[in-house]
Short mmCIF file of all heavy atoms in Angstrom, two decimals:
data_model
loop_
_atom_site.label_atom_id
_atom_site.label_comp_id
_atom_site.label_asym_id
_atom_site.label_seq_id
_atom_site.Cartn_x
_atom_site.Cartn_y
_atom_site.Cartn_z
N MET B 22 -33.56 -77.08 -3.09
CA MET B 22 -33.11 -75.88 -2.62
C MET B 22 -33.67 -74.73 -3.47
O MET B 22 -33.69 -74.75 -4.73
CB MET B 22 -31.56 -75.85 -2.85
CG MET B 22 -30.84 -75.44 -1.68
SD MET B 22 -28.99 -75.37 -1.86
CE MET B 22 -28.52 -77.02 -1.79
N ASP B 23 -34.18 -73.66 -2.83
CA ASP B 23 -34.70 -72.61 -3.51
C ASP B 23 -33.47 -71.63 -3.94
O ASP B 23 -32.41 -71.84 -3.63
CB ASP B 23 -35.82 -71.76 -2.80
CG ASP B 23 -35.31 -71.06 -1.49
OD1 ASP B 23 -34.06 -70.74 -1.36
OD2 ASP B 23 -36.15 -70.80 -0.68
N GLU B 24 -33.78 -70.53 -4.67
CA GLU B 24 -32.83 -69.69 -5.25
C GLU B 24 -31.87 -69.02 -4.16
O GLU B 24 -30.65 -68.95 -4.20
CB GLU B 24 -33.40 -68.50 -6.11
CG GLU B 24 -32.44 -67.89 -6.97
CD GLU B 24 -33.18 -66.92 -7.85
OE1 GLU B 24 -34.44 -67.05 -8.14
OE2 GLU B 24 -32.57 -65.89 -8.33
N ILE B 25 -32.56 -68.59 -3.05
CA ILE B 25 -31.82 -67.89 -2.00
C ILE B 25 -30.95 -68.94 -1.24
O ILE B 25 -29.75 -68.69 -0.96
CB ILE B 25 -32.69 -67.21 -0.93
CG1 ILE B 25 -33.39 -66.07 -1.60
CG2 ILE B 25 -32.07 -66.82 0.24
CD1 ILE B 25 -34.50 -65.30 -0.79
N GLN B 26 -31.45 -70.05 -0.97
CA GLN B 26 -30.63 -71.10 -0.39
C GLN B 26 -29.45 -71.47 -1.22
O GLN B 26 -28.40 -71.68 -0.73
CB GLN B 26 -31.51 -72.45 -0.02
CG GLN B 26 -32.53 -72.16 0.98
CD GLN B 26 -33.59 -73.34 1.18
OE1 GLN B 26 -33.79 -74.06 0.10
NE2 GLN B 26 -34.10 -73.44 2.31
N GLN B 27 -29.58 -71.65 -2.57
CA GLN B 27 -28.54 -71.98 -3.46
C GLN B 27 -27.49 -70.89 -3.39
O GLN B 27 -26.31 -71.13 -3.39
CB GLN B 27 -29.02 -72.09 -4.79
CG GLN B 27 -28.10 -72.70 -5.84
CD GLN B 27 -27.55 -73.99 -5.50
OE1 GLN B 27 -28.28 -74.92 -5.33
NE2 GLN B 27 -26.21 -74.21 -5.39
N MET B 28 -27.91 -69.63 -3.31
CA MET B 28 -27.01 -68.45 -3.30
C MET B 28 -26.21 -68.55 -2.04
O MET B 28 -24.92 -68.36 -2.08
CB MET B 28 -27.70 -67.19 -3.47
CG MET B 28 -26.81 -65.92 -3.42
SD MET B 28 -27.64 -64.31 -3.75
CE MET B 28 -29.20 -64.49 -2.93
N LEU B 29 -26.83 -68.78 -1.02
CA LEU B 29 -26.03 -68.96 0.37
C LEU B 29 -25.15 -70.07 0.36
O LEU B 29 -24.06 -70.00 0.84
CB LEU B 29 -27.04 -68.96 1.55
CG LEU B 29 -27.87 -67.74 1.73
CD1 LEU B 29 -29.01 -67.99 2.72
CD2 LEU B 29 -26.97 -66.60 2.29
N TYR B 30 -25.66 -71.20 -0.13
CA TYR B 30 -24.79 -72.38 -0.22
C TYR B 30 -23.55 -72.19 -1.04
O TYR B 30 -22.42 -72.55 -0.62
CB TYR B 30 -25.61 -73.59 -0.85
CG TYR B 30 -24.84 -74.89 -0.96
CD1 TYR B 30 -24.84 -75.74 0.10
CD2 TYR B 30 -24.26 -75.16 -2.08
CE1 TYR B 30 -24.08 -76.98 0.03
CE2 TYR B 30 -23.59 -76.39 -2.24
CZ TYR B 30 -23.44 -77.33 -1.20
OH TYR B 30 -22.72 -78.42 -1.31
N ASP B 31 -23.68 -71.53 -2.24
CA ASP B 31 -22.61 -71.23 -3.06
C ASP B 31 -21.62 -70.34 -2.31
O ASP B 31 -20.43 -70.45 -2.57
CB ASP B 31 -23.05 -70.66 -4.47
CG ASP B 31 -23.81 -71.72 -5.21
OD1 ASP B 31 -23.60 -72.93 -4.88
OD2 ASP B 31 -24.47 -71.29 -6.19
N ALA B 32 -22.12 -69.34 -1.56
CA ALA B 32 -21.28 -68.45 -0.94
C ALA B 32 -20.39 -69.15 0.16
O ALA B 32 -19.18 -68.92 0.17
CB ALA B 32 -22.11 -67.27 -0.34
N VAL B 33 -20.99 -69.98 0.95
CA VAL B 33 -20.27 -70.72 1.97
C VAL B 33 -19.26 -71.63 1.30
O VAL B 33 -18.10 -71.75 1.69
CB VAL B 33 -21.23 -71.53 2.86
CG1 VAL B 33 -20.48 -72.50 3.74
CG2 VAL B 33 -22.13 -70.52 3.64
N LYS B 34 -19.66 -72.31 0.23
CA LYS B 34 -18.76 -73.20 -0.56
C LYS B 34 -17.50 -72.36 -1.12
O LYS B 34 -16.41 -72.86 -0.98
CB LYS B 34 -19.47 -73.80 -1.75
CG LYS B 34 -18.65 -74.89 -2.42
CD LYS B 34 -19.59 -75.49 -3.47
CE LYS B 34 -18.74 -76.58 -4.21
NZ LYS B 34 -19.59 -77.30 -5.26
N GLU B 35 -17.77 -71.12 -1.56
CA GLU B 35 -16.60 -70.40 -2.10
C GLU B 35 -15.73 -69.93 -0.96
O GLU B 35 -14.52 -70.04 -1.13
CB GLU B 35 -17.22 -69.18 -2.85
CG GLU B 35 -16.21 -68.20 -3.31
CD GLU B 35 -16.76 -67.00 -4.07
OE1 GLU B 35 -17.96 -67.08 -4.55
OE2 GLU B 35 -16.13 -65.92 -4.03
N ILE B 36 -16.31 -69.54 0.10
CA ILE B 36 -15.41 -69.08 1.29
C ILE B 36 -14.56 -70.24 1.84
O ILE B 36 -13.47 -70.09 2.02
CB ILE B 36 -16.33 -68.47 2.38
CG1 ILE B 36 -16.96 -67.11 1.83
CG2 ILE B 36 -15.52 -68.24 3.62
CD1 ILE B 36 -18.09 -66.72 2.68
N GLN B 37 -15.41 -71.35 2.03
CA GLN B 37 -14.64 -72.53 2.59
C GLN B 37 -13.50 -73.01 1.66
O GLN B 37 -12.47 -73.40 2.09
CB GLN B 37 -15.77 -73.64 2.78
CG GLN B 37 -15.24 -74.75 3.72
CD GLN B 37 -16.43 -75.63 4.22
OE1 GLN B 37 -17.29 -75.85 3.43
NE2 GLN B 37 -16.24 -76.23 5.34
N SER B 38 -13.81 -73.08 0.38
CA SER B 38 -12.75 -73.51 -0.64
C SER B 38 -11.60 -72.59 -0.54
O SER B 38 -10.43 -73.03 -0.63
CB SER B 38 -13.41 -73.45 -2.01
OG SER B 38 -12.49 -73.69 -3.02
N THR B 39 -11.79 -71.22 -0.42
CA THR B 39 -10.69 -70.33 -0.41
C THR B 39 -9.88 -70.50 0.90
O THR B 39 -8.58 -70.52 0.80
CB THR B 39 -11.28 -68.72 -0.51
OG1 THR B 39 -11.87 -68.66 -1.69
CG2 THR B 39 -10.11 -67.86 -0.38
N LYS B 40 -10.51 -70.71 1.90
CA LYS B 40 -9.85 -70.94 3.21
C LYS B 40 -8.98 -72.19 3.24
O LYS B 40 -7.94 -72.30 3.72
CB LYS B 40 -10.81 -70.94 4.37
CG LYS B 40 -11.32 -69.41 4.68
CD LYS B 40 -12.19 -69.47 5.96
CE LYS B 40 -12.57 -67.96 6.25
NZ LYS B 40 -13.34 -67.94 7.50
N ARG B 41 -9.63 -73.25 2.70
CA ARG B 41 -8.90 -74.56 2.57
C ARG B 41 -7.68 -74.43 1.76
O ARG B 41 -6.59 -74.94 2.11
CB ARG B 41 -9.80 -75.65 2.01
CG ARG B 41 -10.82 -76.12 3.05
CD ARG B 41 -11.66 -77.24 2.51
NE ARG B 41 -12.61 -77.67 3.60
CZ ARG B 41 -13.80 -78.27 3.41
NH1 ARG B 41 -14.09 -78.51 2.15
NH2 ARG B 41 -14.59 -78.66 4.36
N SER B 42 -7.79 -73.79 0.60
CA SER B 42 -6.66 -73.66 -0.29
C SER B 42 -5.52 -72.74 0.35
O SER B 42 -4.37 -72.90 -0.01
CB SER B 42 -7.03 -73.10 -1.66
OG SER B 42 -7.51 -71.73 -1.63
N ASN B 43 -5.99 -71.92 1.27
CA ASN B 43 -5.00 -71.04 1.93
C ASN B 43 -4.45 -71.75 3.26
O ASN B 43 -3.59 -71.09 3.94
CB ASN B 43 -5.58 -69.68 2.32
CG ASN B 43 -5.81 -68.90 1.16
OD1 ASN B 43 -5.09 -68.89 0.08
ND2 ASN B 43 -6.75 -67.90 1.22
N GLY B 44 -5.00 -72.92 3.58
CA GLY B 44 -4.54 -73.72 4.71
C GLY B 44 -5.08 -73.21 6.05
O GLY B 44 -4.60 -73.57 7.04
N GLN B 45 -6.21 -72.39 5.90
CA GLN B 45 -6.85 -71.89 7.14
C GLN B 45 -7.65 -73.03 7.86
O GLN B 45 -8.39 -73.71 7.17
CB GLN B 45 -7.78 -70.71 6.81
CG GLN B 45 -7.06 -69.39 6.65
CD GLN B 45 -8.03 -68.32 6.42
OE1 GLN B 45 -8.41 -67.90 5.29
NE2 GLN B 45 -8.61 -67.81 7.49
N ILE B 46 -7.48 -73.03 9.14
CA ILE B 46 -8.23 -73.94 9.90
C ILE B 46 -8.84 -73.21 11.10
O ILE B 46 -8.17 -72.43 11.86
CB ILE B 46 -7.35 -75.10 10.49
CG1 ILE B 46 -6.78 -75.85 9.34
CG2 ILE B 46 -8.08 -76.01 11.44
CD1 ILE B 46 -5.78 -76.90 9.66
N PRO B 47 -10.06 -73.21 11.34
CA PRO B 47 -11.17 -73.98 10.60
C PRO B 47 -11.44 -73.21 9.41
O PRO B 47 -11.31 -71.99 9.28
CB PRO B 47 -12.36 -74.02 11.63
CG PRO B 47 -12.22 -72.79 12.43
CD PRO B 47 -10.79 -72.53 12.55
N SER B 48 -11.96 -73.98 8.38
CA SER B 48 -12.33 -73.36 7.09
C SER B 48 -13.72 -73.09 6.96
O SER B 48 -14.43 -73.41 5.93
CB SER B 48 -11.88 -74.29 5.88
OG SER B 48 -12.59 -75.47 6.07
N LEU B 49 -14.26 -72.46 8.08
CA LEU B 49 -15.73 -72.18 8.16
C LEU B 49 -15.95 -70.65 7.81
O LEU B 49 -15.15 -69.83 8.00
CB LEU B 49 -16.23 -72.47 9.58
CG LEU B 49 -16.04 -73.85 10.09
CD1 LEU B 49 -16.36 -73.97 11.52
CD2 LEU B 49 -16.84 -74.96 9.29
N ALA B 50 -17.18 -70.41 7.21
CA ALA B 50 -17.53 -69.04 6.87
C ALA B 50 -18.22 -68.35 7.91
O ALA B 50 -19.06 -68.93 8.61
CB ALA B 50 -18.40 -69.10 5.60
N THR B 51 -17.85 -67.10 8.18
CA THR B 51 -18.50 -66.28 9.14
C THR B 51 -19.68 -65.59 8.49
O THR B 51 -19.79 -65.55 7.21
CB THR B 51 -17.61 -65.20 9.72
OG1 THR B 51 -17.32 -64.23 8.69
CG2 THR B 51 -16.31 -65.76 10.23
N MET B 52 -20.70 -65.19 9.28
CA MET B 52 -21.85 -64.52 8.80
C MET B 52 -21.42 -63.21 7.97
O MET B 52 -21.98 -62.98 6.92
CB MET B 52 -22.75 -64.10 9.88
CG MET B 52 -24.07 -63.60 9.47
SD MET B 52 -25.18 -64.78 8.70
CE MET B 52 -25.79 -65.64 10.16
N ASP B 53 -20.43 -62.48 8.49
CA ASP B 53 -19.98 -61.30 7.79
C ASP B 53 -19.37 -61.67 6.37
O ASP B 53 -19.71 -60.92 5.44
CB ASP B 53 -18.95 -60.61 8.56
CG ASP B 53 -19.52 -59.79 9.71
OD1 ASP B 53 -20.77 -59.54 9.70
OD2 ASP B 53 -18.70 -59.50 10.71
N GLU B 54 -18.68 -62.72 6.33
CA GLU B 54 -18.11 -63.21 4.99
C GLU B 54 -19.17 -63.60 4.01
O GLU B 54 -19.18 -63.21 2.90
CB GLU B 54 -17.17 -64.30 5.26
CG GLU B 54 -15.90 -64.00 5.96
CD GLU B 54 -14.98 -65.12 6.36
OE1 GLU B 54 -15.66 -66.19 6.70
OE2 GLU B 54 -13.75 -65.05 6.44
N ILE B 55 -20.21 -64.18 4.53
CA ILE B 55 -21.34 -64.54 3.71
C ILE B 55 -22.07 -63.35 3.23
O ILE B 55 -22.36 -63.24 1.99
CB ILE B 55 -22.35 -65.54 4.43
CG1 ILE B 55 -21.61 -66.84 4.84
CG2 ILE B 55 -23.59 -65.79 3.63
CD1 ILE B 55 -22.40 -67.64 5.77
N PHE B 56 -22.36 -62.41 4.10
CA PHE B 56 -23.05 -61.16 3.71
C PHE B 56 -22.15 -60.45 2.59
O PHE B 56 -22.70 -59.91 1.70
CB PHE B 56 -23.27 -60.21 4.95
CG PHE B 56 -24.46 -60.72 5.81
CD1 PHE B 56 -24.42 -60.46 7.17
CD2 PHE B 56 -25.59 -61.36 5.35
CE1 PHE B 56 -25.40 -60.92 7.96
CE2 PHE B 56 -26.61 -61.75 6.02
CZ PHE B 56 -26.54 -61.47 7.44
N ASN B 57 -20.86 -60.35 2.79
CA ASN B 57 -20.03 -59.70 1.88
C ASN B 57 -20.06 -60.28 0.51
O ASN B 57 -20.02 -59.52 -0.52
CB ASN B 57 -18.67 -59.61 2.40
CG ASN B 57 -18.46 -58.61 3.48
OD1 ASN B 57 -19.24 -57.72 3.71
ND2 ASN B 57 -17.42 -58.80 4.33
N ILE B 58 -20.28 -61.58 0.45
CA ILE B 58 -20.42 -62.25 -0.93
C ILE B 58 -21.69 -62.04 -1.58
O ILE B 58 -21.73 -61.74 -2.81
CB ILE B 58 -20.05 -63.83 -0.77
CG1 ILE B 58 -18.63 -63.92 -0.37
CG2 ILE B 58 -20.51 -64.56 -1.99
CD1 ILE B 58 -17.90 -65.09 -1.00
N ILE B 59 -22.72 -62.09 -0.78
CA ILE B 59 -24.10 -61.95 -1.42
C ILE B 59 -24.54 -60.43 -1.53
O ILE B 59 -25.45 -60.11 -2.26
CB ILE B 59 -25.18 -62.73 -0.73
CG1 ILE B 59 -25.42 -62.23 0.67
CG2 ILE B 59 -24.86 -64.25 -0.83
CD1 ILE B 59 -26.59 -62.93 1.37
N LYS B 60 -23.87 -59.54 -0.85
CA LYS B 60 -24.32 -58.18 -0.91
C LYS B 60 -24.40 -57.50 -2.31
O LYS B 60 -25.39 -56.91 -2.67
CB LYS B 60 -23.37 -57.26 -0.07
CG LYS B 60 -23.82 -55.80 0.15
CD LYS B 60 -22.79 -55.07 0.98
CE LYS B 60 -23.24 -53.61 1.10
NZ LYS B 60 -22.33 -52.96 2.04
N PRO B 61 -23.42 -57.82 -3.22
CA PRO B 61 -23.54 -57.22 -4.50
C PRO B 61 -24.83 -57.69 -5.28
O PRO B 61 -25.49 -56.98 -6.08
CB PRO B 61 -22.33 -57.62 -5.29
CG PRO B 61 -21.34 -57.96 -4.29
CD PRO B 61 -22.11 -58.42 -3.01
N GLU B 62 -25.14 -58.99 -5.08
CA GLU B 62 -26.34 -59.46 -5.69
C GLU B 62 -27.68 -58.97 -5.20
O GLU B 62 -28.61 -58.69 -5.99
CB GLU B 62 -26.37 -61.03 -5.56
CG GLU B 62 -25.29 -61.74 -6.38
CD GLU B 62 -25.22 -63.25 -6.25
OE1 GLU B 62 -26.30 -63.82 -6.50
OE2 GLU B 62 -24.17 -63.89 -5.86
N ILE B 63 -27.65 -58.67 -3.91
CA ILE B 63 -28.81 -58.08 -3.24
C ILE B 63 -28.98 -56.61 -3.79
O ILE B 63 -30.11 -56.23 -4.11
CB ILE B 63 -28.69 -58.16 -1.70
CG1 ILE B 63 -28.76 -59.55 -1.18
CG2 ILE B 63 -29.70 -57.27 -1.01
CD1 ILE B 63 -28.41 -59.78 0.27
N ILE B 64 -27.77 -55.92 -3.86
CA ILE B 64 -27.87 -54.51 -4.30
C ILE B 64 -28.40 -54.52 -5.67
O ILE B 64 -29.22 -53.66 -6.08
CB ILE B 64 -26.51 -53.85 -4.17
CG1 ILE B 64 -26.29 -53.62 -2.65
CG2 ILE B 64 -26.43 -52.58 -4.88
CD1 ILE B 64 -24.85 -53.16 -2.37
N GLU B 65 -27.91 -55.37 -6.57
CA GLU B 65 -28.29 -55.35 -7.93
C GLU B 65 -29.78 -55.74 -8.05
O GLU B 65 -30.52 -55.09 -8.82
CB GLU B 65 -27.57 -56.41 -8.70
CG GLU B 65 -27.89 -56.54 -10.21
CD GLU B 65 -27.84 -55.24 -11.01
OE1 GLU B 65 -27.02 -54.32 -10.71
OE2 GLU B 65 -28.64 -55.04 -11.95
N ALA B 66 -30.25 -56.76 -7.29
CA ALA B 66 -31.75 -57.08 -7.28
C ALA B 66 -32.66 -55.94 -6.88
O ALA B 66 -33.68 -55.57 -7.51
CB ALA B 66 -31.99 -58.30 -6.44
N LEU B 67 -32.20 -55.24 -5.78
CA LEU B 67 -32.97 -53.97 -5.36
C LEU B 67 -32.92 -52.91 -6.41
O LEU B 67 -33.96 -52.29 -6.60
CB LEU B 67 -32.38 -53.52 -3.95
CG LEU B 67 -32.64 -54.35 -2.83
CD1 LEU B 67 -31.82 -53.88 -1.57
CD2 LEU B 67 -34.17 -54.25 -2.44
N SER B 68 -31.83 -52.64 -6.99
CA SER B 68 -31.73 -51.67 -7.96
C SER B 68 -32.57 -51.99 -9.19
O SER B 68 -33.28 -51.14 -9.68
CB SER B 68 -30.28 -51.58 -8.56
OG SER B 68 -29.42 -51.11 -7.55
N THR B 69 -32.72 -53.30 -9.58
CA THR B 69 -33.61 -53.62 -10.68
C THR B 69 -35.08 -53.47 -10.30
O THR B 69 -35.78 -52.96 -11.14
CB THR B 69 -33.33 -55.16 -11.00
OG1 THR B 69 -32.00 -55.29 -11.40
CG2 THR B 69 -34.30 -55.61 -12.08
N LEU B 70 -35.47 -53.81 -9.10
CA LEU B 70 -36.68 -53.61 -8.64
C LEU B 70 -37.16 -52.12 -8.53
O LEU B 70 -38.32 -51.72 -8.96
CB LEU B 70 -37.06 -54.24 -7.29
CG LEU B 70 -37.01 -55.71 -7.22
CD1 LEU B 70 -36.94 -56.26 -5.75
CD2 LEU B 70 -38.07 -56.32 -7.97
N CYS B 71 -36.15 -51.18 -8.29
CA CYS B 71 -36.37 -49.83 -8.27
C CYS B 71 -36.48 -49.24 -9.70
O CYS B 71 -37.48 -48.44 -10.02
CB CYS B 71 -35.34 -49.12 -7.51
SG CYS B 71 -35.35 -49.42 -5.75
N ARG B 72 -35.67 -49.68 -10.61
CA ARG B 72 -35.73 -49.27 -11.98
C ARG B 72 -37.04 -49.73 -12.63
O ARG B 72 -37.54 -49.03 -13.52
CB ARG B 72 -34.56 -49.87 -12.73
CG ARG B 72 -33.23 -49.10 -12.60
CD ARG B 72 -32.24 -49.48 -13.71
NE ARG B 72 -31.95 -50.93 -13.81
CZ ARG B 72 -31.07 -51.60 -12.95
NH1 ARG B 72 -30.34 -51.07 -12.03
NH2 ARG B 72 -30.85 -52.90 -13.18
N GLU B 73 -37.60 -50.89 -12.20
CA GLU B 73 -38.81 -51.32 -12.82
C GLU B 73 -39.94 -50.80 -12.06
O GLU B 73 -41.19 -51.18 -12.32
CB GLU B 73 -38.82 -52.92 -12.66
CG GLU B 73 -37.74 -53.53 -13.59
CD GLU B 73 -37.71 -55.06 -13.46
OE1 GLU B 73 -38.42 -55.63 -12.54
OE2 GLU B 73 -36.92 -55.74 -14.23
N ASN B 74 -39.84 -49.79 -11.18
CA ASN B 74 -40.77 -49.12 -10.39
C ASN B 74 -41.61 -50.06 -9.57
O ASN B 74 -42.81 -49.78 -9.29
CB ASN B 74 -41.67 -48.33 -11.30
CG ASN B 74 -40.93 -47.12 -11.86
OD1 ASN B 74 -40.16 -46.48 -11.17
ND2 ASN B 74 -41.14 -46.81 -13.11
N LEU B 75 -41.05 -51.22 -9.14
CA LEU B 75 -41.77 -52.03 -8.26
C LEU B 75 -41.45 -51.73 -6.71
O LEU B 75 -42.29 -51.88 -5.83
CB LEU B 75 -41.44 -53.55 -8.46
CG LEU B 75 -41.72 -54.11 -9.80
CD1 LEU B 75 -41.10 -55.40 -10.02
CD2 LEU B 75 -43.27 -54.11 -9.89
N LEU B 76 -40.27 -51.17 -6.58
CA LEU B 76 -39.92 -50.58 -5.29
C LEU B 76 -39.54 -49.09 -5.44
O LEU B 76 -39.09 -48.67 -6.47
CB LEU B 76 -38.65 -51.30 -4.70
CG LEU B 76 -38.83 -52.71 -4.27
CD1 LEU B 76 -37.52 -53.22 -3.68
CD2 LEU B 76 -39.95 -52.94 -3.28
N GLU B 77 -39.78 -48.29 -4.34
CA GLU B 77 -39.23 -47.00 -4.30
C GLU B 77 -38.08 -46.94 -3.38
O GLU B 77 -38.08 -47.73 -2.30
CB GLU B 77 -40.37 -45.97 -3.92
CG GLU B 77 -41.05 -46.18 -2.50
CD GLU B 77 -42.01 -45.24 -2.16
OE1 GLU B 77 -41.89 -44.11 -2.49
OE2 GLU B 77 -43.05 -45.77 -1.49
N CYS B 78 -37.14 -46.15 -3.57
CA CYS B 78 -35.92 -46.03 -2.76
C CYS B 78 -35.66 -44.65 -2.31
O CYS B 78 -35.85 -43.78 -3.13
CB CYS B 78 -34.69 -46.56 -3.50
SG CYS B 78 -33.28 -46.52 -2.59
N HIS B 79 -35.32 -44.42 -1.07
CA HIS B 79 -35.02 -43.16 -0.47
C HIS B 79 -33.78 -43.31 0.32
O HIS B 79 -33.43 -44.35 0.77
CB HIS B 79 -36.25 -42.58 0.36
CG HIS B 79 -37.51 -42.61 -0.38
ND1 HIS B 79 -37.85 -41.53 -1.19
CD2 HIS B 79 -38.50 -43.43 -0.37
CE1 HIS B 79 -39.03 -41.75 -1.67
NE2 HIS B 79 -39.50 -42.96 -1.15
N GLU B 80 -33.04 -42.13 0.46
CA GLU B 80 -31.79 -42.24 1.25
C GLU B 80 -31.94 -41.20 2.53
O GLU B 80 -32.39 -40.06 2.28
CB GLU B 80 -30.76 -41.81 0.34
CG GLU B 80 -29.30 -42.29 0.95
CD GLU B 80 -28.21 -42.08 -0.06
OE1 GLU B 80 -27.63 -40.90 -0.15
OE2 GLU B 80 -27.91 -42.95 -0.86
N THR B 81 -31.56 -41.66 3.58
CA THR B 81 -31.49 -40.82 4.79
C THR B 81 -30.36 -39.87 4.67
O THR B 81 -29.52 -40.01 3.89
CB THR B 81 -31.55 -41.65 6.03
OG1 THR B 81 -30.24 -42.26 6.24
CG2 THR B 81 -32.69 -42.73 6.18
N VAL B 82 -30.42 -38.89 5.73
CA VAL B 82 -29.15 -37.99 5.68
C VAL B 82 -27.86 -38.74 5.95
O VAL B 82 -26.81 -38.29 5.79
CB VAL B 82 -29.44 -36.82 6.70
CG1 VAL B 82 -30.64 -35.85 6.25
CG2 VAL B 82 -29.74 -37.34 8.11
N ASN B 83 -28.03 -39.90 6.71
CA ASN B 83 -26.87 -40.82 7.04
C ASN B 83 -26.50 -41.81 5.93
O ASN B 83 -25.79 -42.68 6.10
CB ASN B 83 -27.18 -41.45 8.35
CG ASN B 83 -27.38 -40.59 9.53
OD1 ASN B 83 -26.65 -39.49 9.53
ND2 ASN B 83 -28.11 -41.02 10.48
N ARG B 84 -27.13 -41.59 4.80
CA ARG B 84 -26.91 -42.34 3.58
C ARG B 84 -27.30 -43.88 3.72
O ARG B 84 -26.78 -44.79 3.15
CB ARG B 84 -25.47 -42.30 3.15
CG ARG B 84 -25.05 -40.86 2.83
CD ARG B 84 -23.62 -40.71 2.08
NE ARG B 84 -23.42 -41.44 0.96
CZ ARG B 84 -23.86 -41.20 -0.25
NH1 ARG B 84 -24.53 -40.16 -0.52
NH2 ARG B 84 -23.53 -42.00 -1.26
N ASN B 85 -28.33 -43.96 4.60
CA ASN B 85 -28.97 -45.39 4.69
C ASN B 85 -30.10 -45.45 3.69
O ASN B 85 -30.91 -44.50 3.51
CB ASN B 85 -29.51 -45.56 6.09
CG ASN B 85 -28.41 -45.67 7.10
OD1 ASN B 85 -27.41 -46.35 6.83
ND2 ASN B 85 -28.52 -45.04 8.21
N SER B 86 -30.15 -46.55 2.93
CA SER B 86 -31.23 -46.72 2.02
C SER B 86 -32.53 -47.24 2.62
O SER B 86 -32.46 -48.18 3.45
CB SER B 86 -30.80 -47.63 0.84
OG SER B 86 -29.71 -47.18 0.16
N LEU B 87 -33.69 -46.69 2.21
CA LEU B 87 -34.94 -47.17 2.69
C LEU B 87 -35.77 -47.55 1.45
O LEU B 87 -35.71 -46.81 0.38
CB LEU B 87 -35.66 -46.00 3.40
CG LEU B 87 -34.95 -45.35 4.62
CD1 LEU B 87 -35.73 -44.17 5.11
CD2 LEU B 87 -34.84 -46.43 5.69
N PHE B 88 -36.45 -48.69 1.56
CA PHE B 88 -37.24 -49.21 0.38
C PHE B 88 -38.67 -49.40 0.78
O PHE B 88 -39.00 -49.64 1.92
CB PHE B 88 -36.63 -50.56 -0.01
CG PHE B 88 -35.19 -50.42 -0.60
CD1 PHE B 88 -34.17 -50.63 0.43
CD2 PHE B 88 -34.94 -50.19 -1.77
CE1 PHE B 88 -32.85 -50.66 0.00
CE2 PHE B 88 -33.56 -50.10 -2.25
CZ PHE B 88 -32.58 -50.20 -1.33
N GLY B 89 -39.48 -49.16 -0.19
CA GLY B 89 -40.97 -49.34 0.04
C GLY B 89 -41.59 -49.85 -1.32
O GLY B 89 -41.10 -49.75 -2.36
N ILE B 90 -42.76 -50.49 -1.10
CA ILE B 90 -43.49 -50.95 -2.26
C ILE B 90 -44.07 -49.66 -2.97
O ILE B 90 -44.64 -48.94 -2.33
CB ILE B 90 -44.66 -51.91 -1.85
CG1 ILE B 90 -44.09 -53.12 -1.12
CG2 ILE B 90 -45.40 -52.34 -3.08
CD1 ILE B 90 -43.12 -53.94 -1.84
N THR B 91 -43.86 -49.57 -4.29
CA THR B 91 -44.31 -48.39 -4.93
C THR B 91 -45.84 -48.26 -4.85
O THR B 91 -46.58 -49.23 -5.14
CB THR B 91 -43.94 -48.53 -6.48
OG1 THR B 91 -42.53 -48.71 -6.55
CG2 THR B 91 -44.30 -47.27 -7.22
N GLY B 92 -46.31 -47.11 -4.49
CA GLY B 92 -47.69 -46.93 -4.33
C GLY B 92 -48.28 -47.33 -3.08
O GLY B 92 -49.44 -47.08 -2.68
N ASP B 93 -47.70 -48.12 -2.25
CA ASP B 93 -48.22 -48.66 -0.98
C ASP B 93 -47.77 -47.63 0.17
O ASP B 93 -46.62 -47.52 0.56
CB ASP B 93 -47.57 -50.02 -0.60
CG ASP B 93 -48.18 -50.63 0.55
OD1 ASP B 93 -49.25 -50.11 1.13
OD2 ASP B 93 -47.57 -51.62 1.06
N ARG B 94 -48.78 -46.92 0.65
CA ARG B 94 -48.59 -46.02 1.66
C ARG B 94 -49.10 -46.46 3.07
O ARG B 94 -49.29 -45.70 3.94
CB ARG B 94 -49.20 -44.58 1.30
CG ARG B 94 -48.78 -44.08 0.00
CD ARG B 94 -47.33 -43.54 0.14
NE ARG B 94 -46.98 -43.02 -1.11
CZ ARG B 94 -45.76 -42.96 -1.56
NH1 ARG B 94 -44.85 -43.40 -0.71
NH2 ARG B 94 -45.46 -42.52 -2.76
N SER B 95 -49.28 -47.78 3.28
CA SER B 95 -49.86 -48.29 4.48
C SER B 95 -48.73 -48.49 5.50
O SER B 95 -47.55 -48.49 5.30
CB SER B 95 -50.65 -49.54 4.31
OG SER B 95 -49.90 -50.47 3.66
#
């Protein structure tokens, strides 16, 4: 399993475990629940790449983040 697969696996495992302990049936993870668990890690990784000047980040007037490779104007 690569790093992303492991992160997703762990997220599903955490969600499923919580649901089972709460007696929820089915104890399956939704896509939104998975995204909510991994979102902080994705934001941190993007922030790190921006701080290291590997990515540039811009924000639209609607507060949507846009990313690009630093120096790549193609």
Side-chain angles (χ1 to χ4, degrees):
M22 227 182 285
D23 67 24
E24 192 174 337
I25 292 173
Q26 290 171 334
Q27 185 66 52
M28 182 174 33
L29 292 168
Y30 179 87
D31 292 342
V33 172
K34 186 175 180 179
E35 179 181 333
I36 294 163
Q37 198 167 30
S38 175
T39 300
K40 286 185 174 186
R41 283 184 179 152
S42 67
N43 291 334
Q45 281 184 263
I46 297 174
S48 61
L49 303 174
T51 67
M52 188 68 81
D53 286 338
E54 290 169 329
I55 295 167
F56 284 148
N57 286 337
I58 290 220
I59 65 171
K60 186 177 178 179
E62 293 181 52
I63 292 170
I64 290 171
E65 179 57 33
L67 285 168
S68 295
T69 300
L70 290 169
C71 290
R72 278 193 308 275
E73 293 174 354
N74 291 320
L75 296 170
L76 291 182
E77 57 182 324
C78 179
H79 305 277
E80 199 171 87
T81 67
V82 293
N83 297 329
R84 302 189 52 82
N85 292 317
S86 297
L87 302 173
F88 299 93
I90 303 299
T91 304
D93 184 13
R94 302 288 179 207
S95 56

